[in-house]
Amino acid sequence: MNKMIETVIIGAGPAGLAVAGRLHNMKRPFEILEKTDKIASAWHEHYDRLCLHTVKQLSHLPHLPFPDDYPLYVPRLDLVRYFEDYAKRFDIKPHFSDGVTAVQKKGEKWSVETEHGKTYEAAHVVIASGLNRVPNRPTWVGEAQYKGAISHSRVYKNPDPFIGKRTLVIGMGNTGAEIALDLAENGVDVTISVRSPITIVPRDVMGNPVQLTAKTLDKLPFGLGDWLGTQVRKVVIGDLTKYGVPMSTMHPAVQLRETGKTPLIDLGTVSYIKSGQIKIVNDIERFTEQGVLLKTGEENPYDAVILATGYNPSLDEFINQIEPELDRFDLPKSPIAQLPANKGLYFVGFDNYKLGGILGTVFNDSKTIAEDIAASVREAS
């Protein structure tokens, strides 16, 4: 089946919804394709305790603030309900359970092919398939001999399966740190393996969201805001090297820009590390039958291992000739494709270089994209 449409949006998560909501308000037509059977499917599947790490007033989608009765940091299930309500409010009706297999330019139009054999021809294609499309699953020597269970953080829900088990979490990003906290709070013997230096930022200081404080500090002259933020981190977080955590000396924004690594927003993990309820070890060399051999030469037993090793967007798997649009972290350089040959191609939900959170970036980039699409339609008419 061939179907000509003005704009095709790939992905019905928050990024795709944001663009769709703006286009709806502009009275521009679109089709939205979703490989799963749900709106914002990733948020349906995330672990139970997850809340937004960013404040609600800076995390909503365009044209619809969160309800007044939502807490400051919106819980996962409330967020799912909000996204579903958003789709209803803006008449967003995705084509569910039909993943996109190929996106390529054919003449002046884009061709989008799906698993069910459908082909959409469009003037504009918005890629909103997400940073977390494909789990990053590294492998180690000795995994086949390991007698415990290895799972990716994507399938983690709650501590119940890990009660009574010595558990190793590999990776101390935001997901790894929060899963370790979840386990420790429920009495699980938990250790985090940390490979590289980490920048840690408290979510709140004396009851005040650091995200809001940072916006105020950004207005101060001569880098004074950055200096004050550094002093706050030194006091609230402290030096964790004596607990085995390698601490980065980079400012969070610099780390994000230069390494692509998001600073860890602390929800309580640091206090559990300081109390010894969460242990820290170095990078692992290999698996053994009973656990792992660390690069320090120490061998530790574990009954279960959770890989909090992140994800890859893997855009090159389905978008033809995408490489020139990507940076060294395989993320789009801009919300609007830069090559003239890729005119009409857009990316939303991939800008991981801002400290305000991905939803704040989605809010802004969706506006840039929708306005560019509207301008392009006007030029063509």
Side-chain angles (χ1 to χ4, degrees):
M1 180 189 79
N2 294 325
K3 184 177 182 180
M4 182 71 72
I5 190 67
E6 186 172 291
T7 300
V8 168
I9 301 170
I10 299 174
L17 294 176
V19 176
R22 289 195 185 276
L23 291 177
H24 173 85
N25 255 29
M26 293 177 171
K27 296 182 170 53
R28 301 304 331 159
F30 60 87
E31 299 285 349
I32 184 164
L33 310 180
E34 169 55 42
K35 68 178 180 180
T36 74
D37 61 352
K38 298 180 181 69
I39 293 286
S41 63
W43 288 93
H44 284 266
E45 303 302 328
H46 280 312
Y47 48 93
D48 295 346
R49 68 171 285 148
L50 182 63
C51 292
L52 288 181
H53 295 171
T54 51
V55 295
K56 69 175 183 178
Q57 56 266 48
L58 300 178
S59 304
H60 63 81
L61 298 185
H63 313 304
L64 186 65
F66 285 114
D68 291 341
D69 62 347
Y70 270 34
L72 183 63
Y73 298 104
V74 180
R76 180 182 66 89
L77 292 180
D78 285 342
L79 196 61
V80 166
R81 188 169 73 250
Y82 167 81
F83 289 145
E84 291 175 339
D85 290 345
Y86 190 91
K88 293 175 185 175
R89 173 75 66 92
F90 295 100
D91 196 31
I92 300 169
K93 298 174 181 176
H95 300 272
F96 288 115
S97 302
D98 196 8
V100 170
T101 57
V103 175
Q104 56 187 319
K105 194 75 173 287
K106 292 187 175 180
E108 296 299 311
K109 301 293 184 182
W110 287 93
S111 174
V112 180
E113 300 174 13
T114 74
E115 293 171 346
H116 291 175
K118 296 179 182 177
T119 299
Y120 295 83
E121 293 183 346
H124 315 96
V125 175
V126 180
I127 308 299
S129 50
L131 282 166
N132 296 351
R133 196 173 77 88
V134 180
N136 180 40
R137 176 46 168 103
T139 58
W140 289 268
V141 172
E143 281 188 46
Q145 287 73 46
Y146 176 58
K147 294 182 178 179
I150 303 175
S151 59
H152 193 273
S153 59
R154 169 170 274 188
V155 302
Y156 178 86
K157 300 300 181 190
N158 56 59
D160 292 353
F162 301 92
I163 300 297
K165 294 181 180 179
R166 295 164 298 186
T167 302
L168 175 67
V169 177
I170 297 180
M172 195 176 169
N174 281 293
T175 296
E178 188 166 3
I179 287 176
L181 178 62
D182 198 24
L183 294 168
E185 287 178 341
N186 288 274
V188 175
D189 180 345
V190 60
T191 301
I192 306 177
S193 169
V194 186
R195 182 177 64 178
S196 54
I198 295 172
T199 297
I200 305 176
V201 178
R203 189 187 69 176
D204 305 278
V205 175
M206 294 188 293
N208 298 309
V210 165
Q211 185 186 14
L212 296 180
T213 303
K215 290 180 73 69
T216 301
L217 293 178
D218 280 346
K219 299 175 184 177
L220 296 177
F222 314 120
L224 185 57
D226 287 351
W227 181 85
L228 286 172
T230 299
Q231 304 316 305
V232 168
R233 289 196 302 278
K234 286 181 179 178
V235 172
V236 177
I237 302 299
D239 182 7
L240 301 181
T241 55
K242 61 184 177 182
Y243 301 100
V245 180
M247 301 292 287
S248 173
T249 58
M250 286 186 181
H251 184 274
V254 175
Q255 174 182 291
L256 193 55
R257 184 174 62 250
E258 294 189 0
T259 71
K261 293 183 179 180
T262 305
L264 169 59
I265 300 174
D266 180 50
L267 309 179
T269 304
V270 168
S271 66
Y272 272 76
I273 290 172
K274 290 178 177 178
S275 71
Q277 292 168 276
I278 294 177
K279 297 178 285 295
I280 302 294
V281 296
N282 205 296
D283 197 10
I284 71 171
E285 178 68 32
R286 56 169 292 146
F287 276 76
T288 65
E289 281 194 6
Q290 301 301 323
V292 301
L293 176 68
L294 302 173
K295 289 191 173 178
T296 58
E298 180 183 355
E299 186 173 340
N300 292 344
Y302 298 105
D303 304 304
V305 175
I306 299 171
L307 306 180
T309 47
Y311 299 83
N312 297 308
S314 299
L315 297 178
D316 59 343
E317 289 185 355
F318 66 98
I319 306 176
N320 190 41
Q321 296 181 329
I322 189 63
E323 288 80 5
E325 302 290 350
L326 306 180
D327 63 17
R328 68 187 189 278
F329 305 118
D330 290 330
L331 300 176
K333 300 173 185 176
S334 168
I336 300 174
Q338 301 295 288
L339 293 182
N342 286 334
K343 180 177 173 57
L345 185 64
Y346 304 90
F347 308 94
V348 62
F350 298 97
D351 189 341
N352 201 33
Y353 306 134
K354 296 183 177 68
L355 293 176
I358 194 69
L359 288 175
T361 301
V362 161
F363 185 96
N364 295 325
D365 286 354
S366 63
K367 183 174 187 290
T368 299
I369 290 168
E371 289 178 348
D372 194 79
I373 289 173
S376 176
V377 172
R378 287 194 298 270
E379 290 174 7
S381 61

